Amino acid sequence: MSSSLEQLENQLETFIENVRQIGILVSDFQPQGQQVLNQKLQNMITNMQDIDKLRSAVQDVHVPLEVFEYIDGGRNPQLYTKDCMEKALTKNEQVNGRIDSYKRFKAMLLVELSHVFPNEMTRYRAVREELS
């Protein structure tokens, strides 16, 4: 899979470079450059065909829509991964905070229930120990 992605990346880089060169040729077109331009256009067509051949090898790659939003917004798509990790860490801290709160609540509840219902809590603890 990764070799297919690498091949696609190389083909896209070649295509981009070819299009860049065509842009340079066209922006300052000279009649004697027609043959070079024709060759570059033929190379572009060949590159597009090569990219199309690689399509089936990378069809199962799924890109989150948010990545395209990053690109459309002029942001580096690699920042998407960083932002996702930061969001996951923040959410993890929130969940861990809730878990700690529930543990403290449980401990305080058990203490208070032991004061109000000492006999029932003794039986509760005995049942809990049997099940453990």
Side-chain angles (χ1 to χ4, degrees):
M1 172 66 116
S2 66
S3 72
S4 297
L5 290 175
E6 289 171 5
Q7 287 176 350
L8 179 61
E9 183 177 358
N10 291 336
Q11 287 294 330
L12 287 171
E13 287 173 358
T14 303
F15 178 77
I16 291 168
E17 177 60 24
N18 198 25
V19 169
R20 187 187 68 78
Q21 291 174 5
I22 289 171
I24 292 170
L25 286 171
V26 171
S27 68
D28 188 28
F29 184 73
Q30 303 291 324
Q32 62 270 22
Q34 183 65 51
Q35 185 62 29
V36 175
L37 179 61
N38 290 343
Q39 182 61 41
K40 294 290 181 187
L41 290 171
Q42 187 59 43
N43 287 345
M44 185 176 76
I45 292 167
T46 304
N47 288 140
M48 291 172 104
Q49 290 170 340
D50 292 341
I51 291 169
D52 188 58
K53 288 176 189 171
L54 292 171
R55 179 177 46 164
S56 62
V58 293
Q59 254 180 334
D60 60 338
V61 175
H62 299 284
V63 179
L65 292 176
E66 292 86 5
V67 173
F68 295 111
E69 292 171 7
Y70 272 62
I71 293 169
D72 289 342
R75 298 174 67 193
N76 185 340
Q78 291 178 345
L79 291 177
Y80 174 75
T81 304
K82 179 184 173 216
D83 290 346
C84 284
M85 291 301 295
E86 288 173 355
K87 288 177 188 175
L89 287 172
T90 301
K91 188 67 171 175
N92 188 35
E93 289 172 1
Q94 291 174 350
V95 170
N96 285 339
R98 288 181 186 164
I99 290 170
D100 291 342
S101 295
Y102 285 128
K103 284 180 181 178
R104 286 192 307 263
F105 174 74
K106 178 183 174 186
M108 289 179 3
L109 182 63
L110 289 174
V111 167
E112 292 299 319
L113 287 174
S114 294
H115 292 322
V116 177
F117 303 107
N119 295 334
E120 288 81 359
M121 288 305 294
T122 303
R123 281 185 277 179
Y124 168 76
R125 287 189 182 104
V127 170
R128 291 282 302 198
E129 287 177 15
E130 288 177 12
L131 294 176
S132 299

